[in-house]
C-alpha cells in the first residue's frame, strides 16, 4: 500500500477551498456534455495516475478529457482530434481559471455553457466574479491526491464484496469527497434536501433509492475523515458499535473515522476496510436489505 500521506486540514485550507471550486468548474463541464446517469453518476471525476480526470467525455466532434495533474500542476485539456492545452495550476483566482477553461473549450470547438455558480458551498460566488479564492500550494494538492489514491484503493477492494447495484468509486465535486454507494433495490422516501445552494431536485435524484454510502473528504478530522451513512437511516443504525475509534456524529448523521486514526494504525488498509465493511453490514442488517 505504501505511505499514507499526512496533511493537516488547517495547513491547506486556502488551497483546499480554491481547488474545490476548480473541481466544480471541471465537473460542471463534464455534466454539460456527458449522457445523464442515475444518481448523478455522470458528473463525477475519477482518481487517475496523475490526479483527477473527467475520463473521456463525448461531444459533437468526438471526445475530450480534462485532467488535473498534481505532479506537473497543470490541467490537461485534450481532444480525440489531437488538440491539447496545459492550463497552469498555480496561485490564481477562480475567475481567471474559469475563463481559461471555458475559453480553451471554445477554441477546441467544444462550446460549453454551465451553471457558473458553485453548489453545496456558502457563500456561492459566481465563478466569473470570484477573485477571493486564489490559493494553490502544489505540495498540499499532491498530498491530497495521494490520500484519494489510498482511499480509492481500499474502497475499490471493499466494493468487490457486494453483488447488488453499486456505484463506481468516484469523486463528487459538490462536497469534495470520494464516495462509493450500495443500494438495497428499494425505493426511498423523498429526500428533504437542505444542502446549501443546491436545488432539492438534485438530492431527490441522488437519494431516490435506499442506500448505504461511504467515502473520504478533507474535513471531519485533523487530516480529513472517512464517513459512512445510510438513507433512510434505519432504526438502531446510529447505536451500532463500529471498529476502532469510529463514532456517530448526530449533527451530520454519519459515522466518522478520522484519517489520522487510519494512517497511524499498524495496518491502515485493514483498519479502513474493517470500518467500511462493518458500516455496510450495519446498514444492511438494521434495514433488512434483501441484498447483503
Amino acid at each position: 500500500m505504501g505511505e499514507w500521506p499526512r496533511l493537516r486540514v488547517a495547513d491547506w485550507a486556502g488551497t483546499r477551498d480554491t481547488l474545490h471550486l476548480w473541481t466544480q468548474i471541471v465537473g460542471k463541464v463534464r455534466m454539460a456534455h456527458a449522457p445523464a446517469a442515475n444518481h448523478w453518476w455522470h458528473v463525477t471525476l475519477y482518481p487517475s495516475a496523475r490526479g483527477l480526470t473527467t475520463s473521456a467525455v463525448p461531444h459533437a466532434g468526438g471526445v475530450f478529457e480534462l485532467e488535473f495533474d498534481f505532479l506537473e500542476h497543470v490541467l490537461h485539456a485534450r481532444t480525440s482530434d489531437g488538440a491539447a492545452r496545459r492550463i497552469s495550476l498555480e496561485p490564481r483566482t477562480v475567475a481567471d481559471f474559469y475563463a481559461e477553461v471555458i475559453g480553451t473549450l471554445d477554441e477546441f470547438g467544444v462550446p460549453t455553457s454551465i451553471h457558473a455558480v458553485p453548489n453545496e458551498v456558502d457563500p456561492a460566488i459566481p465563478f466569473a466574479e470570484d477573485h477571493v479564492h486564489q490559493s494553490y500550494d502544489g505540495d498540499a494538492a499532491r498530498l491530497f491526491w495521494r490520500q484519494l489514491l489510498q482511499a480509492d484503493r481500499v474502497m475499490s477492494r471493499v466494493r468487490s464484496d457486494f453483488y447488488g447495484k453499486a456505484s463506481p468509486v468516484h469523486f463528487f465535486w459538490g462536497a469534495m469527497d470520494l464516495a462509493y454507494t450500495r443500494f438495497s433495490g428499494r425505493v426511498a422516501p423523498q429526500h428533504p434536501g437542505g444542502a446549501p445552494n443546491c436545488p432539492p431536485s438534485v438530492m431527490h435524484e441522488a437519494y431516490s433509492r435506499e442506500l448505504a454510502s461511504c467515502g473520504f473528504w478533507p474535513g471531519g478530522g485533523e487530516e480529513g475523515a472517512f464517513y459512512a451513512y445510510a438513507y433512510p437511516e434505519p432504526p438502531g443504525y446510529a447505536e451500532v458499535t463500529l471498529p476502532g475509534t469510529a463514532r456517530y456524529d448526530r449533527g451530520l448523521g454519519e459515522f466518522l473515522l478520522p484519517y489520522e486514526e487510519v494512517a497511524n494504525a499498524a495496518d491502515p488498509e485493514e483498519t479502513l476496510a474493517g470500518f467500511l465493511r462493518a458500516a455496510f453490514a450495519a446498514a444492511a442488517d438494521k434495514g433488512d436489505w434483501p441484498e447483503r
Side-chain angles (χ1 to χ4, degrees):
M1 286 290 291
E3 181 183 355
W4 286 67
R6 312 306 296 267
L7 178 62
R8 288 175 49 86
V9 173
D11 293 341
W12 77 296
T15 295
R16 178 195 63 178
D17 294 347
T18 300
L19 182 60
H20 185 187
L21 296 168
W22 290 354
T23 64
Q24 291 217 6
I25 292 166
V26 170
K28 284 172 179 271
V29 168
R30 182 179 186 223
M31 182 170 63
H33 293 277
N38 54 190
H39 313 296
W40 302 100
W41 293 354
H42 62 296
V43 311
T44 55
L45 306 179
Y46 307 95
S48 73
R50 302 191 71 88
L52 286 168
T53 180
T54 59
S55 72
V57 181
H59 71 98
V63 300
F64 71 92
E65 178 183 15
L66 299 176
E67 182 184 26
F68 287 96
D69 182 335
F70 297 126
L71 294 174
E72 295 189 42
H73 303 294
V74 296
L75 178 75
H76 294 288
R78 310 182 183 98
T79 70
S80 53
D81 64 3
R85 174 76 62 82
R86 294 161 58 95
I87 297 172
S88 64
L89 303 181
E90 60 186 0
R92 61 188 304 182
T93 66
V94 169
D96 183 51
F97 181 81
Y98 168 70
E100 186 167 1
V101 170
I102 297 301
T104 295
L105 292 170
D106 283 344
E107 291 175 16
F108 284 180
V110 188
T112 302
S113 176
I114 66 173
H115 178 63
V117 180
N119 298 112
E120 299 185 53
V121 298
D122 188 26
I125 307 170
F127 299 135
E129 301 171 15
D130 190 345
H131 300 279
V132 175
H133 298 95
Q134 53 184 309
S135 299
Y136 187 75
D137 178 338
D139 290 337
R142 183 185 298 116
L143 287 172
F144 174 60
W145 161 60
R146 293 195 179 277
Q147 288 181 322
L148 293 177
L149 290 181
Q150 293 289 44
D152 177 80
R153 192 192 305 256
V154 179
M155 290 162 65
S156 295
R157 173 184 158 195
V158 171
R159 184 177 186 268
S160 68
D161 297 343
F162 188 65
Y163 285 87
K165 176 181 174 179
S167 78
V169 178
H170 46 194
F171 181 87
F172 276 102
W173 40 264
M176 203 181 186
D177 63 324
L178 189 73
Y180 158 58
T181 305
R182 294 179 181 179
F183 297 84
S184 73
R186 298 187 294 235
V187 174
Q190 188 174 88
H191 194 280
N197 296 300
C198 186
S201 59
V202 173
M203 296 301 180
H204 296 169
E205 170 58 29
Y207 294 95
S208 60
R209 298 297 185 270
E210 187 177 45
L211 59 81
S213 192
C214 70
F216 168 73
W217 100 105
E222 288 189 3
E223 300 177 31
F226 297 96
Y227 65 80
Y229 65 89
Y231 182 80
E233 184 178 298
Y237 177 76
E239 283 69 51
V240 170
T241 299
L242 297 186
T245 61
R247 62 178 179 83
Y248 185 82
D249 185 303
R250 295 195 177 275
L252 294 174
E254 301 177 347
F255 284 99
L256 296 179
L257 178 64
Y259 176 91
E260 55 268 24
E261 297 295 334
V262 173
N264 287 332
D267 190 334
E269 180 177 0
E270 288 305 319
T271 298
L272 177 54
F275 165 71
L276 300 177
R277 287 183 170 127
F280 281 126
D285 293 343
K286 295 300 182 181
D288 193 26
W289 281 27
E291 287 278 5
R292 302 298 179 94

